Amino acid sequence: MRFSWGILATGCLLVTSAHADKLAPKASAVSRASSTAASSNAPSLGAPSAASPTPRAPSQALESSTLTSASTEVSDPLSDPLSDRFADDHDSVSCGSTNRGALSDAAVMPVEGPGFIMAEPWRSRETRYGTHELVNLIQRSAKKVARLHKGSKLSVADMSLESGGPIAMHRSHQNGRDVDLVYYAMDAEGAPFYPDSHMAYYTRRGMANYAQSPAFIKNIPERYFDLKRNWALVNEFISDPDVDVERIFVSPRIKRWLLAYAKEVGTDEELLKKAARILHAPRAVKGHNDHMHVRIACSADDIEQGRCRNESASRPKSGVRWHRHMTCPRPALKPVLPQI
């Protein structure tokens, strides 16, 4: 059967061939599944197959996803309350701006854990570092999405270097507040697509069979944009009580898809407005049809200790000082309160 693309309230982009020439996030496409959507604001995975299958993935033992040690072993890391602690006792300093900055005492992102993985080639690029706020946010949000939607596995790409500074292929990512995340995908049967080494480029129909990054490759395994999981991730980011997400850079059409889907599943109006404000098409950067770029705001400690700035730095005309590595101070020691 030949499929084309539009938005269904069940969470995928699959529709009938009537809309073959364009993506159509319309209420008519949603009405065929309105009885399902009305019962829940977090509907189950919809796809050509009726079941919610587990991802097609190699069997791998999960590495520890926390930066704190826990001696208790559990059979299901998604249900382990200790794993929600992540890097809470770790401190870091973000200095300067995202396009002219540095990082001190960075937190390191595990290569795999509950609900996420950093696949090659990003695993070998030594760009697994960020502020402890960012590392916590990624792990916490990926785990919550995996709890909500069985089989979810977030693909984490470039973050920052251990000491920050310029990074190949990026204008920003210099002070530990940026991360690239590959969009959740599904196969033609609606099963979660296990992350691979590609940032698949999604066409207007919501399908991808080639990649432009990290290298241009034709004929990669076909996959489809997973609206349900990608919106769930955005929802977790912008609703997080501990971290202020400043921007989520996506392409204009993916922003339209996500907001249309969120509206159709009954998302609160205030949250919709917040999502519309934070989801952003970057200036002077083409695309973001293959990944979302998440940037968190400077914390109060980073502003005080590292003169962290949410604004981009203006490049001087000479450019000499621009290329010098910025020195970032170590985190200030926090007083230890006496035990009573």
Side-chain angles (χ1 to χ4, degrees), residues 49 62 64 99 121 139 148 150 174 179 216 253 268 285 297 304 307 315 319:
S49 58
L62 293 180
S64 171
N99 65 331
Q139 294 183 77
L148 286 171
K150 184 179 179 182
Q174 293 199 27
V179 60
F216 182 83
R253 68 164 166 257
D268 177 76
V285 178
E304 179 182 356
R307 287 192 255 181
R315 185 165 182 165

Side-chain angles (χ1 to χ4, degrees), residues 166-204:
I167 175 176
M169 301 168 58
H170 294 281
R171 299 180 183 178
S172 56
H173 290 254
Q174 293 199 27
N175 66 348
R177 298 192 290 116
D178 295 281
V179 60
D180 288 340
L181 301 170
V182 182
Y183 293 120
Y184 288 108
M186 19 176 220
D187 64 20
E189 297 177 354
F193 192 97
Y194 196 82
D196 56 16
S197 59
H198 307 297
M199 281 185 172
Y201 185 95
Y202 291 95
T203 65
R204 288 184 299 170

Side-chain angles (χ1 to χ4, degrees), residues 104-308:
S104 177
D105 277 38
V108 61
M109 185 73 190
V111 296
E112 189 170 0
F116 71 89
I117 187 170
M118 180 175 279
E120 294 293 357
W122 301 286
R123 186 181 297 191
S124 299
R125 279 170 52 80
E126 300 299 324
T127 56
R128 293 169 49 200
Y129 300 91
T131 64
H132 74 282
E133 293 96 346
L134 180 62
V135 171
N136 279 337
L137 176 69
I138 299 167
Q139 294 183 77
R140 186 164 58 240
S141 300
K143 183 176 178 181
K144 288 181 179 178
V145 173
R147 283 173 174 166
L148 286 171
H149 307 298
K150 184 179 179 182
S152 301
K153 201 75 167 177
L154 178 63
S155 179
V156 182
D158 283 336
M159 297 175 64
S160 297
L161 297 171
E162 185 173 7
S163 59
I167 175 176
M169 301 168 58
H170 294 281
R171 299 180 183 178
S172 56
H173 290 254
Q174 293 199 27
N175 66 348
R177 298 192 290 116
D178 295 281
V179 60
D180 288 340
L181 301 170
V182 182
Y183 293 120
Y184 288 108
M186 19 176 220
D187 64 20
E189 297 177 354
F193 192 97
Y194 196 82
D196 56 16
S197 59
H198 307 297
M199 281 185 172
Y201 185 95
Y202 291 95
T203 65
R204 288 184 299 170
R205 299 185 183 185
M207 184 269 288
N209 60 9
Y210 72 94
Q212 293 185 335
S213 181
F216 182 83
I217 300 178
K218 292 183 178 180
N219 301 320
I220 65 173
E222 189 173 274
R223 67 205 70 186
Y224 303 90
F225 192 86
D226 192 330
L227 268 174
K228 180 175 63 177
R229 287 173 171 81
N230 284 306
W231 168 248
L233 182 65
V234 170
N235 190 6
E236 292 298 335
F237 284 149
I238 66 177
S239 304
D240 192 273
D242 299 323
V243 179
D244 181 12
V245 174
E246 181 186 12
R247 283 278 187 259
I248 301 177
F249 298 105
V250 296
S251 72
R253 68 164 166 257
I254 287 179
K255 178 177 179 177
R256 290 195 300 270
W257 294 351
L258 291 170
L259 292 178
Y261 173 75
K263 184 176 181 180
E264 294 297 346
V265 297
T267 302
D268 177 76
E269 190 66 28
E270 288 303 313
L271 189 62
L272 271 176
K273 291 179 180 178
K274 186 175 183 180
R277 185 175 69 253
I278 293 177
L279 289 168
H280 185 70
R283 295 174 297 177
V285 178
K286 184 180 179 180
H288 282 75
N289 288 304
D290 54 3
H291 73 283
M292 70 174 71
H293 175 168
V294 179
R295 175 175 296 163
I296 65 172
C298 297
S299 69
D301 286 344
D302 289 336
I303 293 173
E304 179 182 356
Q305 299 180 44
R307 287 192 255 181
C308 185

